[in-house]
Amino acid sequence: MMEGDDTRPDATGIVDLRSDTVTLPTEAMLAEMRRAPLGDDSRDGDPTVRALEAQAALLTGKEAALFVPSGTMGNLLAMLAHGERGGEILADGGAHLFNSEIGSVVAVAGLIPRAVASHRGAMNEDALAQAIRAASSAGRPRPALIWMETTHNGAGGAVLPLSHMARVHALGRSNGIAVHVDGARLFNASVALGASAQAIADHADSVMFCLSKGLSAPVGSLLAGSAAFIARARGFRRFVGGNMRQAGVIAAAGLVALDTMVERLREDHAAAARLAHALAWLDPVLAEPDQVQTNILRVDVSSSARDAADWASRLKRHGILVQASGASQLRLVTHRHIDSAAVERTIAAFAAEA
Ligand SMILES: Cc1ncc(COP(=O)(O)O)c(C=O)c1O
């Protein structure tokens, strides 16, 4: 257990693998929240928010960054600030954007979603080039934005290869189309690749990352990009009601998260790998250990007589919470509160129910 890590919800005896968003702030975060210098962020600026935004810009190698309450808002502002209402947004069909943020895409940003064939979250580059060509020739709406997601939630935490990202970015550039990265779990990707966050963000015009997932901060995400882009996003943040006042209270936790929580994401990746190996040993259909790159594990229960919802409710009786995803998949996400005892309890629960 890490120092200052005594806000773990062990007392409940529940092993909550539904998401890394369930993580609680550390004692160090709570202490910083109490002593952070504060101001009215949308009047004179909040010094702690400014410090967090500067740190985010530095880490991603962008000119500027903007603090927002959620990943969804960061992504929405990216669409609005790059945007061109009525244009197409090209992403893989399994993107979080298309599955969970489609209202933002269509109803607020006014973009038209175009799903590009993909494998493990990575768009097929020929299909992407073809989609861009088709749009230019067939009088379809202009391609306005190319979207990548890393790590990829729907693809079981898969990490996009940097070479792929570089080619997609080049394709965007040569066609005058902006490229955004939904990096809700950017630092999981960074740790898994052994590359800096900047080395990933270099392959996009803008990037969003979340503090409130594996990094354990209670609230907040950042959007980073050029100074002009962030100025536009800041205007749109007001437009969607995202202006905050003494937001340094939460930004303070974010600064601690970036300082203390990035390297420990490795532990979450190791826990997910341990789970995958053990489940594959129980039944090779359940998990594919060589596909588990970060902290998300997709468990395939199709070979069993029970559907995913039934599995989830049976595991719950063992005190293990997982998320059913469709009829045949469970999603397990490891995080700071999942220690080795929690991993072993999870394996035992699967063994009892298999
Ligand atoms: C890949 C991805 N993008 C965006 C989001 C949205 O983040 P938030 O829940 O902070 O709005 C999530 C949330 O899980 C996500 O997994």
Side-chain angles (χ1 to χ4, degrees), residues 19-21 68-75 94-97 100-101 147-154 182-185 208-213 219-221 296 331:
S19 178
D20 45 10
T21 56
V68 289
S70 67
T72 301
M73 188 183 286
N75 282 340
H96 190 273
L97 182 78
S100 303
E101 302 168 53
W147 198 270
M148 291 187 273
E149 180 180 320
T150 191
T151 67
H152 197 286
N153 188 338
D182 175 349
R185 297 180 180 81
M208 183 282 291
F209 69 84
C210 295
L211 300 164
S212 56
K213 300 193 164 63
V219 187
S221 298
I296 302 179
R331 190 186 78 157

Side-chain angles (χ1 to χ4, degrees), residues 2-344:
M2 297 185 58
E3 199 188 333
D5 203 17
D6 38 350
T7 49
R8 295 161 52 95
D10 281 355
T12 62
I14 297 289
V15 174
D16 193 345
L17 290 155
R18 290 170 304 166
S19 178
D20 45 10
T21 56
V22 302
T23 46
L24 298 176
T26 62
E27 285 301 329
M29 289 178 195
L30 294 171
E32 283 304 313
M33 289 168 82
R34 185 172 283 279
R35 64 172 165 247
L38 303 176
D40 185 335
D41 190 43
S42 48
R43 202 167 292 273
D44 317 309
D46 177 294
T48 307
V49 170
R50 279 198 203 134
L52 176 62
E53 290 175 342
Q55 181 67 358
L58 187 74
L59 289 171
T60 55
K62 301 294 184 204
E63 285 175 359
L66 179 69
F67 188 41
V68 289
S70 67
T72 301
M73 188 183 286
N75 282 340
L76 169 62
L77 298 185
M79 289 185 276
L80 290 168
H82 280 304
E84 210 175 285
R85 286 187 82 79
E88 282 191 353
I89 180 166
L90 301 134
D92 77 289
H96 190 273
L97 182 78
F98 286 172
N99 288 305
S100 303
E101 302 168 53
I102 195 68
S104 295
V105 177
V106 176
V108 190
L111 295 171
I112 299 169
R114 173 148 314 263
V116 176
S118 65
H119 178 64
R120 292 191 39 78
M123 284 179 281
N124 178 297
E125 293 165 27
D126 292 336
L128 178 61
Q130 172 55 27
I132 294 169
R133 271 199 303 278
S136 333
S137 61
R140 280 211 324 244
R142 202 190 103 72
L145 191 53
I146 296 174
W147 198 270
M148 291 187 273
E149 180 180 320
T150 191
T151 67
H152 197 286
N153 188 338
V159 181
L160 295 183
L162 290 179
S163 54
H164 164 75
M165 294 186 73
R167 287 190 296 270
V168 169
H169 193 203
L171 192 60
R173 271 213 195 110
S174 60
N175 287 280
I177 307 169
V179 174
H180 175 76
V181 166
D182 175 349
R185 297 180 180 81
L186 181 69
F187 290 93
N188 293 86
S190 157
V191 162
L193 285 168
S196 65
Q198 174 172 351
I200 302 170
D202 275 351
H203 301 307
D205 300 292
S206 60
V207 61
M208 183 282 291
F209 69 84
C210 295
L211 300 164
S212 56
K213 300 193 164 63
L215 298 182
S216 294
V219 187
S221 298
L222 285 125
L223 177 64
S226 71
F229 167 82
I230 291 299
R232 278 196 302 282
R234 197 176 284 281
F236 281 118
R237 187 181 67 173
R238 177 179 287 275
F239 173 88
V240 299
N243 263 6
M244 297 179 282
R245 303 298 177 173
Q246 286 75 34
V249 171
I250 46 176
L255 280 165
V256 176
L258 289 174
D259 232 27
T260 62
M261 292 286 127
V262 172
E263 280 306 310
R264 64 148 303 287
L265 293 173
R266 286 179 207 290
E267 297 170 23
D268 303 345
H269 299 181
R274 161 84 183 117
L275 277 171
H277 278 105
L279 298 190
W281 187 82
L282 286 176
D283 174 353
V285 177
L286 282 177
E288 292 177 279
D290 56 342
Q291 303 284 327
V292 178
Q293 291 177 280
T294 58
N295 69 329
I296 302 179
L297 173 60
R298 296 257 162 198
V299 177
D300 180 346
V301 293
S302 59
S303 69
S304 75
R306 297 190 294 273
D307 68 8
D310 190 12
W311 268 95
S313 67
R314 283 167 184 263
L315 290 167
K316 192 173 179 181
R317 283 184 226 143
H318 295 264
I320 312 292
L321 304 185
V322 300
Q323 188 171 304
S325 167
S328 62
Q329 270 200 359
L330 303 173
R331 190 186 78 157
L332 277 58
V333 186
T334 55
H335 51 75
R336 194 177 110 247
H337 306 309
I338 304 299
D339 59 12
S340 53
V343 168
E344 298 314 317

